[in-house]
Amino acid sequence: MDSKDTRIIIDCDTGIDDALAILYALRAPGVRVEAITTGFGNIGVQQAAENTLRLLALAQPDYDIPVAVGAAQALVREPGIYSPHVHGANGIGGVTLPPSNQQPVSETSAELIVRLADESPGELVLVTLGRLTNLALALELDPELPGKLQKVVVMGGTIYKPGNVTPVAEANIWGDPEAADRVFTAGFELLMVGLDVTLQTLIKGEHIAMLKRLGKAGNLPVIDFMEQTLQHYFRFYREANYVLDGAPLHDPLALMAALQPDLITTRRMKVRVEQQGEFTAGMVVADLRAQPKAGEYIEVAVDVDAERAVGAFLSVFI
Ligand code: RIB
Ligand code: CA
C-alpha cells in the first residue's frame, strides 16, 4: 500500500451497479479497499455477500479484502422487499460467477465498520451503495463514529430530480428511511451523491464495445462479466426510463466522487428524511429557505462532469 492511498470501506447490496463500483475500486490507482460490508437491498444480504466474494475471486486483487455480512432487513420496516426486476433474481443480472474459496468474516458489517474506524481514527472513507441500515447499526454500537471516519459518501436520495421507487424517493433511502435519517443527522462529514447526478452519468453499449477492443488482457474476464450483467440492467432502463442501450452509473459515481471530488459540484444544505408520509416516505427533504432551520447540514452533489466521470470509470480497465 502507498501511504498516499485513499483507504475506503465499501458498504453495499451487491447488485449490478454495486458490482461495477467494486470493480472500479479494485482497479483504480491510489485506493485501497479495507473491507466490503454487505447488507440487504437489491437482494437478500446472504446473496449480496456471496456476489461480493465471487466478484473478488473474479477480479483477483493482490491483497486480502475482508467481506462482512450485515443487516438482513430495515430497522423498522417490513423485510423481504428486493429489486429482482432491476438487478435479476441473483442481483447480478442472472450471471453465474464461479464460487470463491473466501468466507465472510465472523463480525457483522456494523461491527467491522466500528472496529476499523477505531483502529484508524480519521483516516477511512466509508462509501455506502445500499440502504443505510449497517451504518445506523454501527452508530448504535459507537455514537462517536462520526468523529472517527474521515468522510461518508452516500449513493442515495434526490433533491431536484424525481425518485426511482416512488415519485419522490430513491431506492437506497426508501428501503430504510429511519436508518437514513439517523445517518444524515448524526454529524458525519457526509456527501450525498444521488439521482440529481447519477442519472446524468450513463454507461452505454458503445462503451462496453470499446472496452472489449481496448481493455487490458488481464481485465477481459471482468469486462466480459460487465457486458453480461449489464444486459439485464440496460433492458430495465430501456423499459422503465426510455434509456436506449445504456444505464446510469449510480454506485460507481459515488465511489468516483469519493476519490475524485472535482468530478462533481456540491451544495451544502440542511436535510431530513421523511419517514411518515403515505406518498413521501424515503424522500430527502432539503430546507432550501434563505434561513434553513430543519435538519442538519450535509454536502449534496448537484452537478457532475458526466463525460469526464464516464471516462474516469472506463479508463481503469484499459
Ligand atoms: O437508486 C440506485 C441505487 O439503488 C443503487 O445503489 C442500486 O444498486 C440500488 O441499490
Ligand atoms: Ca447499490
Side-chain angles (χ1 to χ4, degrees):
M1 182 179 82
D2 192 309
S3 61
K4 291 203 276 311
D5 282 355
T6 305
R7 298 170 60 199
I8 65 171
I9 302 173
I10 302 174
D11 183 75
C12 54
D13 55 339
T14 313
I16 295 173
D17 61 327
D18 304 75
L20 266 52
I22 292 170
L23 293 173
Y24 172 81
L26 298 178
R27 291 295 186 263
V31 54
R32 183 169 177 102
V33 181
E34 296 287 343
I36 302 181
T37 56
T38 60
F40 78 99
N42 294 321
I43 43 198
V45 66
Q46 296 294 343
Q47 183 73 54
E50 185 62 31
N51 290 349
T52 307
L53 293 167
R54 290 182 184 222
L55 260 183
L56 291 177
L58 177 77
Q60 300 190 333
D62 56 11
Y63 56 97
D64 292 337
I65 302 175
V67 173
V69 180
Q73 62 185 76
L75 296 182
V76 295
R77 306 226 163 206
E78 195 186 329
I81 301 171
Y82 308 129
S83 315
H85 54 299
V86 187
H87 294 267
N90 73 348
I92 48 174
V95 180
T96 306
L97 289 173
S100 159
N101 295 326
Q102 186 182 343
Q103 297 298 317
V105 296
S106 56
E107 291 166 295
T108 64
S109 293
E111 288 166 349
L112 184 57
I113 291 168
V114 166
R115 179 170 64 76
L116 293 177
D118 255 336
E119 287 172 3
S120 303
E123 286 179 26
L124 300 179
V125 175
L126 174 65
V127 185
T128 70
L129 307 178
R131 281 48 173 163
L132 287 159
T133 322
N134 286 333
L135 185 49
L137 293 171
L139 259 176
E140 263 176 33
L141 293 177
D142 183 359
E144 304 301 317
L145 191 61
K148 296 181 184 172
L149 288 170
Q150 187 192 117
K151 172 165 77 168
V152 175
V153 179
V154 171
M155 191 284 128
T158 181
I159 305 292
Y160 302 107
K161 290 258 166 63
N164 60 1
V165 182
T166 75
V168 293
E170 181 280 333
N172 289 339
I173 307 300
W174 172 85
D176 196 344
E178 286 75 16
D181 192 59
R182 284 190 206 174
V183 168
F184 281 6
T185 55
F188 288 107
E189 186 64 46
L190 191 146
L191 167 65
M192 179 184 120
V193 179
L195 301 180
D196 299 297
V197 286
T198 64
L199 287 175
Q200 298 180 47
T201 314
L202 300 181
I203 186 163
K204 308 279 289 191
E206 71 205 51
H207 295 134
I208 298 298
M210 184 173 67
L211 284 185
K212 292 188 74 172
R213 273 198 331 274
L214 304 178
K216 267 197 210 114
N219 282 331
L220 291 181
V222 156
I223 293 168
D224 277 347
F225 165 75
M226 288 200 268
E227 182 183 32
Q228 290 173 48
T229 194
L230 281 171
Q231 283 177 23
H232 189 94
Y233 214 42
F234 284 6
R235 192 177 326 120
F236 170 77
Y237 273 96
R238 187 183 66 242
E239 290 170 2
N241 283 38
Y242 302 133
V243 176
L244 302 183
D245 200 28
L249 284 170
H250 298 295
D251 290 344
L253 184 62
L255 224 141
M256 285 188 279
L259 302 175
Q260 229 181 304
D262 64 349
L263 290 172
I264 52 163
T265 308
T266 64
R267 177 173 168 188
R268 206 159 171 75
M269 41 182 98
K270 281 193 170 185
V271 303
R272 290 297 303 255
V273 176
E274 173 58 46
Q275 299 155 60
Q276 303 294 333
E278 184 182 352
F279 302 109
T280 53
M283 177 183 187
V284 178
V285 179
D287 190 344
L288 301 176
R289 293 175 291 182
Q291 295 180 25
K293 294 185 178 64
E296 297 298 330
Y297 275 113
I298 64 167
E299 220 43 66
V300 175
V302 292
D303 202 3
V304 58
D305 186 340
E307 195 179 334
R308 204 154 65 89
V310 173
F313 176 80
L314 298 172
S315 64
V316 303
F317 302 101
I318 291 176

